């Protein structure tokens, strides 16, 4: 996903680095309010802030605060305000999706082959995986899932969960990180925070930008549209896909089975008010399969890419293309 100002003469501080198992890009325009750090200095602060969040919230570093929480044998666990907010965000995503986005499937992720970070590993071929993938079916929540018994007491600094329940904050944590970073950018004329496809655009004087959603099966974009303020997130299997003894696996699990979900959708993109909302809606759309995905994405706008590469535009995005490419269907 790439976002650029439509005006080539406009200059912003452009900071790029690797984090969250992906690439992060932060664009910051000139300050509007007096006394603010320069865009370059603020870019450094944002990078430091995001790296601090990652160190606390990753499950791939045994020294992280999340891993300490997951290893805690008791039910009530003392946590920092940062981890409390992150767990609360994961619970929000679970409630918003009626349990379809479930952060308590750590054991199932490990069983699928995602016990350690795959950030520096080349993904398996998506076409080969689709050719032998199981029969397509929509994912479903697990009615007795442990997330329903997890709670956060922010005032007391406690997370309560059944002993032994572990949390994965990958998706919701990345969306939350983007939102928290943009909260620090009030008073700047423009900003973009893009963390591996979780994107926030805005500013006190926002610019209309071109946003590109890459196609998972073809070179080039699945769709391009303009946006001056808001959030976009994409969820799919192209970059987190690996081969196992049983076939192919990925990181987006069907909570009802604990297995990788093969739903007929291979990538879903959602617009949203926040990156956490867009991330949650995109994951819901991917897991739900084509027909429910259209309904999920229609209110905010979005798109899905089906197994055969067909792109379907939903809601407001269907009205944002003046010259749709061949094969694009307006939903």
């Amino acid at each position: 996903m790439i976002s650029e100002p439509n005006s080539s003469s406009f200059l912003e501080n452009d900071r790029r680095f690797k984090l969250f198992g992906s690439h992060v890009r932060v664009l910051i325009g000139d300050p509007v309010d007096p006394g603010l750090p320069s865009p370059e200095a603020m870019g450094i602060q944002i990078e430091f802030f995001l790296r601090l969040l990652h160190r606390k919230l990753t499950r791939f570093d045994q020294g992280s605060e999340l891993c300490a929480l997951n290893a805690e044998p008791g039910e009530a666990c003392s946590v920092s305000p940062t981890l409390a907010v992150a767990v609360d965000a994961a619970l929000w995503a679970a409630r918003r999706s009626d349990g379809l986005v479930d952060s308590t499937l750590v054991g199932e992720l490990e069983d699928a082959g995602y016990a350690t970070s795959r950030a520096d590993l080349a993904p398996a071929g998506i076409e080969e995986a689709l050719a032998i993938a199981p029969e397509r079916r929509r994912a479903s929540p697990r009615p007795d899932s442990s997330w329903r018994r997890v709670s956060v007491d922010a005032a007391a600094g406690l997370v309560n969960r059944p002993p032994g329940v572990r949390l994965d904050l990958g998706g919701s944590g990345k969306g939350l990180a983007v939102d928290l970073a943009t909260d620090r950018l009030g008073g700047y004329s423009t900003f973009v925070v893009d963390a591996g496809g979780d994107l926030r655009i805005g500013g006190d004087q926002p610019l209309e930008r071109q946003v590109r959603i890459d196609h998972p099966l073809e070179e080039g974009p699945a769709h391009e549209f303009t946006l001056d303020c808001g959030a976009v997130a994409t969820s799919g299997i192209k970059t987190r896909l690996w081969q196992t003894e049983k076939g192919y696996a990925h990181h987006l699990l069907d909570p009802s089975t604990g297995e990788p979900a093969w739903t007929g959708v291979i990538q879903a993109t959602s617009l949203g008010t926040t990156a956490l909302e867009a991330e949650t809606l995109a994951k819901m759309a991917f897991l739900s399969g084509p027909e429910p995905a259209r309904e999920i994405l229609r209110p905010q706008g979005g798109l899905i890419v089906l197994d055969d590469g067909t792109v379907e535009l939903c809601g407001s995005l269907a009205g944002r293309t003046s010259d749709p490419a061949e094969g694009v269907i307006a939903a």
Side-chain angles (χ1 to χ4, degrees), residues 102-127:
D102 190 334
S103 61
T104 64
L105 303 178
V106 177
E108 289 84 348
L109 283 168
E110 293 173 345
D111 290 343
Y114 201 21
T116 58
S117 174
R118 304 190 65 87
D120 297 321
L121 300 177
I126 187 170
E127 281 126 333

Side-chain angles (χ1 to χ4, degrees), residues 27-38:
L27 295 165
I28 306 174
D30 289 335
V32 175
D33 295 344
L36 290 174
S38 69

Side-chain angles (χ1 to χ4, degrees), residues 35-270:
L36 290 174
S38 69
E40 181 179 12
M42 180 52 72
I44 294 171
Q45 290 185 32
I46 293 296
E47 179 179 350
F48 180 82
F49 173 70
L50 291 175
R51 290 191 181 280
L52 180 63
L53 282 177
H54 181 261
R55 285 199 298 271
K56 286 178 175 288
L57 304 182
T58 179
R59 68 177 174 90
F60 300 130
D61 178 356
Q62 292 304 308
S64 74
E65 189 181 3
L66 175 63
C67 285
L69 169 65
N70 285 342
E72 172 61 47
E75 183 171 348
C77 310
S78 296
V79 297
S80 69
T82 299
L83 185 55
V85 168
V87 174
D88 198 48
L91 295 177
W92 180 90
R95 291 190 299 269
R96 177 65 181 82
S97 64
D98 292 327
L100 198 57
V101 180
D102 190 334
S103 61
T104 64
L105 303 178
V106 177
E108 289 84 348
L109 283 168
E110 293 173 345
D111 290 343
Y114 201 21
T116 58
S117 174
R118 304 190 65 87
D120 297 321
L121 300 177
I126 187 170
E127 281 126 333
E128 292 85 351
L130 291 171
I132 65 168
E135 181 180 356
R136 307 320 190 243
R137 50 165 284 176
R138 64 176 298 182
S140 302
R142 182 178 294 174
D144 61 346
S145 178
S146 299
W147 74 264
R148 301 177 187 277
R149 299 188 297 280
V150 178
S151 64
V152 177
D153 185 338
L158 293 175
V159 169
N160 295 278
R161 89 274 191 264
V165 169
R166 293 180 292 161
L167 300 171
D168 174 74
L169 304 179
S172 62
K174 188 170 65 169
L176 175 68
V178 170
D179 290 330
L180 293 177
T182 58
D183 286 347
R184 294 169 170 247
L185 293 173
Y188 287 86
S189 58
T190 62
F191 65 73
V192 176
V193 179
D194 182 357
D198 284 14
L199 174 74
R200 281 284 296 271
I201 297 173
D204 286 19
Q205 300 169 0
L207 282 173
E208 188 173 77
R209 301 172 186 266
Q210 194 78 8
V211 178
R212 186 185 79 196
I213 308 299
D214 289 333
H215 199 293
L217 298 180
E218 303 171 5
E219 292 295 328
H223 186 57
E224 294 181 89
F225 59 94
T226 58
L227 187 69
D228 63 358
C229 190
V232 186
T234 296
S235 187
I237 63 174
K238 181 179 180 179
T239 59
R240 294 289 185 272
L241 182 65
W242 58 91
Q243 193 164 12
T244 72
E245 293 180 356
K246 297 188 294 183
Y248 290 87
H250 58 79
H251 66 299
L252 297 172
L253 304 187
D254 179 346
S256 67
T257 65
E259 300 286 337
W262 302 94
T263 68
V265 175
I266 56 175
Q267 183 173 290
T269 298
S270 178

Side-chain angles (χ1 to χ4, degrees), residues 233-235 268-270 277-287 297:
T234 296
S235 187
T269 298
S270 178
E277 178 187 44
E279 160 75 26
T280 302
L281 292 172
K283 193 168 288 185
M284 288 170 60
F286 174 92
L287 292 169
L297 296 176

